[in-house]
Amino acid sequence: MDDNVGTGGHVPVMLERVLELLAPALTGPAPVVVDANLGLGGHSEALLAAHPALHLIGIDRDPFAIEFSTRRLVPYADRTTLVHASSGDLAEVLDQAGRPLIDGALFDLGVSSPQLDEAGRGFAYSYDAPLDMRMDTSQELTAERVVNTYSAAELTRILRHYGEERFAQRVAGLIIKERAKEAITSTKRLADIVRDAIPAATRRTGGNPAKRTFQALRIEVNAELSALEAALPAALDALTLGGRVVVLSYHSLEDRLTKQALTARTKDTSPPGLPVPLPAHQPRFRLLTRGAELPSDEELARNPRAASARLRAAERIRVDD
């Protein structure tokens, strides 16, 4: 959710394309959209402004995001339901809101600029800050706890799987060695340890060597992938005929999960060799994008943090009998 907050204000990623893709699903008399990663509310504000009959349900686990978006969306307060929850609880949120069916769903995944830019949150290796990384500041698990209590095998697993770190075992080994001397409590010390664990030749290319470790820890602390694994199928199940989902992801793991979930719903699952496809096995969805769409050069010039964005979208074309 790489929102750019500066003198130019909040710049939602690929906003025009998101609006274009969702618009055909929002032509009914009382459409409902779920923004599963509300953030600073930029996409939600634009959707509410564009569709006067729209009711928007916004979900975010970060209390700051809920507080900020509540203020931002005051002009639309009678058409919004904002919920402090994980996107993984999407099905329960819809149930509690009395909105079992929706017309659109937006997922703007990842970490937001306020989380990155507020040093005290501990998301960024560019600041010396407490090793926190919690999106929901009320939860107990922090990056400090992960770094100082996980076993070498557990650290290696999350660094390799969530950070796609080639030198996961070396990084985990040095973390174990250094924390035995003194607990690792700051982002700077962790970044220095990671740098020392990465071979010098590798450090000279590819940006800050701590990037992959920090990504892995953030995903582990916030259970980001498991939330997506629960939320995206729940949103797809809730979509009405003609309903649409748009997903913005920012690293390969998110994009891979999104691609798999959407592809599974757009395949004919009839047993091979049948002369006529079975209606029960016909696709329920069709893809609206060819592969993953990328931000334009114009957008990148305006919002450099959009560089890693990948957009996928699909539409429900059949409902279960």
Side-chain angles (χ1 to χ4, degrees), residues 192-317:
D192 289 343
I193 291 169
V194 174
R195 186 193 64 240
D196 291 343
I198 304 294
T202 303
R203 293 202 304 265
R204 287 193 284 270
T205 60
N208 194 305
K211 178 180 179 179
R212 291 178 293 275
T213 292
F214 273 63
Q215 173 181 298
L217 290 172
R218 192 198 81 217
I219 291 172
E220 172 70 11
V221 167
N222 298 290
E224 292 178 37
L225 296 183
S226 59
L228 179 59
E229 288 173 330
L232 185 51
L236 294 171
D237 289 342
L239 283 174
T240 58
L241 185 66
R244 293 184 167 200
V245 62
V246 176
V247 183
L248 286 161
S249 58
Y250 297 90
H251 58 73
S252 61
L253 300 176
E254 294 171 340
D255 187 52
R256 190 178 307 137
L257 282 176
T258 300
K259 179 182 178 181
Q260 290 169 348
L262 297 185
T263 299
R265 305 281 182 126
T266 57
K267 282 186 175 180
D268 183 342
T269 58
S270 299
L274 293 180
V276 179
L278 299 175
H281 292 266
Q282 289 296 290
R284 265 51 181 170
F285 288 80
R286 71 179 181 96
L287 296 176
L288 298 171
T289 52
R290 297 188 64 179
E293 294 187 3
L294 308 181
S296 66
D297 291 340
E298 179 183 352
E299 169 142 14
L300 293 178
R302 184 176 69 250
N303 187 9
R305 283 183 173 170
S308 58
R310 302 291 182 270
L311 182 150
R312 295 181 187 270
E315 177 186 26
R316 181 181 275 279
I317 57 173

